[in-house]
Amino acid sequence: MPAQTTERRREKPARARILDTATRLFYAEGVHSVGIDRIIAEAGVAKATFYNHFPGKDDLVRHYVTEESLRQRTLTAGLPAAPPRDTLHALFAYMCEVGGSPAYRGCPFVNTAAEYPDPAHPVRQAIDDHRRWMRGLFHDLLVADGHPDADRTAGILMLLRDGLVVGFDLDDPSALRATAREAVTRALR
Amino acid sequence: MPAQTTERRREKPARARILDTATRLFYAEGVHSVGIDRIIAEAGVAKATFYNHFPGKDDLVRHYVTEESLRQRTLTAGLPAAPPRDTLHALFAYMCEVGGSPAYRGCPFVNTAAEYPDPAHPVRQAIDDHRRWMRGLFHDLLVADGHPDADRTAGILMLLRDGLVVGFDLDDPSALRATAREAVTRALR
DNA sequence: ACGTTACCAGACAGATCTGTCTATTATCGG
DNA sequence: CCGATAATAGACAGATCTGTCTGGTAACGT
C-alpha cells in the first residue's frame, strides 16, 4: 500500500499521456483495432480519468485527428521563408522524407476516414477541415508564385499528395521518391 | 414443423451469397465494423455454413479482396480494343464515372489496407497483388503507346490513380472530374 | 490545516464478436 | 429408395469492448 513511487507532477499530465498513446496506437494499428482498455493501460491512466477527460472513444478519435492536423499546420508555419515555389517543393520533399521511414503507415487522415464511412460524422468533419486547410495552402502558394489557374493546379497537387501517402504506404518507397519530384515538376509546369 | 418455403436451388448458392453480402458490407462500412453475425444474417445463411466455406473472418476478407481484384481485371479485359493511349484515358474516365457515384466510398484495396497494418498479412499480400497488376497494366499500355520512360510514367499514373480514389471519396467529386483529365494529359505529355 | 481537485485501481454491467457444437431438414446421385 | 451432401436454426463458450461506478490516495491552493 505504500504510496506509489510517483512524483506525479514530473510526468506529463494524464490527458496528454492519453492523447499521445492514442495517437501512437491509432496510427500504427488503426482506430477500430485499438480498444480503450489498451489505451488507458499503456498510458498508465485510470479508466475514470479517461472518461473524465473525454466523453467517449469517438471524441478521442476526433481529438486525435485535430491534434495531428494542428501538428502539421505548426510544422508548416515553421518553415523558413522562401520563394513560394521552393516552399511547395520543400513540402513534397518533406512528405517523401517522412514517407520513407519504416514506421510510415500512410496518412492518418486518409486511414481514419476509411474507418468512418459517414461523411457527417464529427471525425470526418475534422478530416474535411484538415483537407480544406491543405488545399488552401497549396492554392495560396500557387497564387503567390503567380501561377495561372491556381485552383486547378492546387487540385492536381492534392491528387499527387494523396497518391504519395498511399504509395509510400503500399508500394516501394525508394522508387516512389524518384517519381515524386518528377511528378511535381510536371504538375507545376 | 413445416418446411420452409424455400426452393433453395433457385437461390444463389450459399457461398456466393456470403461473398456478395460481405463485399457490400465491407465496402460500405469497413471491415472491422462489420461482424460475422451480421454477414450471415443478411446473407440468409447459417453460421455453420459460413464456417464450412471459410476458416474464419480473415480468410473471408482475403476472398473479398481477391474477388474485387478479379472483377476489375475482368472489366478491363472486356474493354473494346483501342489505341493504348485511348485505353488509358478510358480507364481514368471510368474511374471518374465510378467515383462520382453517391455510393462511392473510395478504393476497397486502399481502405482495407488501412485496417491491416501488417504488410506480411495475407490480406495485404492480396492487395499487393492487385496493385502490381494495375501498375503492370499501365506500364504495358505506355510501352505499347511508344512512351519513353514507361516505368516512371506508370508510377505517376499510379500516383494519380490513388489520388483520384481518395479525392472522390473525401472531396468534391464534380470538381475533381475536371481536374482528372487535365492531370492525366499533363502526365502523359 | 483543510478542502478541493485530479488521479489511481479495479470491479461491474451489458453488448458484441469470433468460433464451436448439436440437432434437424431438404436435395440429389445412384 | 437411401445414403451422402449441404444447408438450416440456434445455443453456447470465451474473449473483448464500451462505459459506469465505488473507494481510496496524493498534491495543490488558500
Side-chain angles (χ1 to χ4, degrees):
Chain A
M1 332 227 161
Q4 10 196 139
T5 68
T6 21
E7 308 123 28
R8 225 174 288 156
R9 283 292 133 194
R10 295 281 181 90
E11 304 169 4
K12 262 187 182 172
R15 186 192 165 91
R17 292 202 314 271
I18 294 170
L19 253 178
D20 287 354
T21 307
T23 297
R24 178 171 54 84
L25 294 178
F26 284 161
Y27 181 67
E29 306 186 20
V31 170
H32 285 123
S33 299
V34 176
I36 289 293
D37 282 341
R38 181 139 166 252
I39 292 172
I40 65 168
E42 297 203 18
V45 154
K47 208 160 196 182
T49 303
F50 170 77
Y51 282 101
N52 275 344
H53 284 289
F54 301 93
K57 187 182 178 181
D58 269 5
D59 199 63
L60 175 64
V61 177
R62 194 171 57 80
H63 276 87
Y64 157 59
V65 169
T66 56
E67 282 292 307
E68 199 61 23
S69 178
L70 182 63
R71 213 181 55 82
Q72 291 200 14
R73 296 183 201 213
T74 305
L75 264 173
T76 304
L79 280 181
R85 176 170 298 229
D86 293 349
T87 300
L88 279 171
H89 279 292
L91 285 172
F92 278 90
Y94 180 69
M95 285 181 216
C96 291
E97 187 191 321
V98 173
S101 144
Y104 192 69
R105 258 266 300 151
C107 166
F109 308 100
V110 171
N111 287 351
T112 302
E115 300 199 56
Y116 284 83
D118 178 11
H121 194 286
V123 168
R124 279 290 295 271
Q125 289 180 343
I127 293 168
D128 289 345
D129 280 347
H130 180 78
R131 293 181 67 83
R132 266 192 296 273
W133 164 77
M134 175 163 286
R135 181 182 295 269
L137 174 67
F138 287 154
H139 178 269
D140 293 349
L141 285 168
L142 287 166
V143 167
D145 189 51
H147 199 285
D149 211 357
D151 261 341
R152 175 165 296 185
T153 305
I156 294 183
L157 290 182
M158 282 296 283
L159 275 184
L160 288 180
R161 183 268 171 193
D162 289 332
L164 283 176
V165 297
V166 170
F168 273 121
D169 185 25
L170 302 183
D171 298 334
D172 175 25
S174 58
L176 191 52
R177 239 190 313 267
T179 310
R181 185 163 181 99
E182 167 84 12
V184 175
T185 305
R186 284 196 207 183
L188 291 182
R189 193 154 50 192
Chain B
M1 324 217 240
Q4 9 195 148
T5 68
T6 21
E7 309 122 32
R8 227 175 283 155
R9 282 292 133 191
R10 298 279 181 90
E11 305 171 3
K12 259 190 184 171
R15 187 190 164 93
R17 293 205 310 272
I18 294 170
L19 253 177
D20 287 355
T21 308
T23 297
R24 178 172 54 85
L25 294 178
F26 284 161
Y27 180 69
E29 306 186 19
V31 170
H32 286 120
S33 299
V34 176
I36 290 292
D37 282 340
R38 182 141 165 248
I39 291 173
I40 65 168
E42 297 204 16
V45 155
K47 207 160 195 180
T49 303
F50 170 76
Y51 282 101
N52 275 344
H53 284 288
F54 302 93
K57 187 183 178 181
D58 269 6
D59 199 64
L60 175 64
V61 177
R62 194 171 57 79
H63 276 89
Y64 156 59
V65 169
T66 56
E67 281 293 306
E68 200 61 24
S69 178
L70 182 62
R71 214 181 54 83
Q72 292 199 14
R73 296 181 201 214
T74 306
L75 264 173
T76 304
L79 280 181
R85 174 170 299 230
D86 292 350
T87 300
L88 279 170
H89 279 293
L91 285 172
F92 279 89
Y94 179 70
M95 285 181 217
C96 291
E97 187 191 321
V98 174
S101 142
Y104 192 70
R105 257 267 299 153
C107 166
F109 308 100
V110 171
N111 287 350
T112 303
E115 299 198 58
Y116 284 84
D118 178 11
H121 193 286
V123 168
R124 278 291 294 270
Q125 290 180 344
I127 293 169
D128 290 346
D129 279 347
H130 180 78
R131 293 181 67 83
R132 265 192 297 273
W133 163 76
M134 176 163 285
R135 181 182 296 269
L137 174 67
F138 288 155
H139 178 269
D140 294 349
L141 286 168
L142 287 165
V143 167
D145 191 49
H147 200 283
D149 212 357
D151 261 341
R152 175 166 296 184
T153 306
I156 294 182
L157 289 183
M158 282 297 284
L159 275 183
L160 288 180
R161 183 268 171 194
D162 290 332
L164 283 176
V165 296
V166 170
F168 273 121
D169 185 25
L170 302 182
D171 298 334
D172 175 26
S174 58
L176 192 51
R177 238 189 314 266
T179 309
R181 184 163 183 98
E182 168 84 11
V184 175
T185 304
R186 285 196 206 184
L188 292 182
R189 193 154 50 193

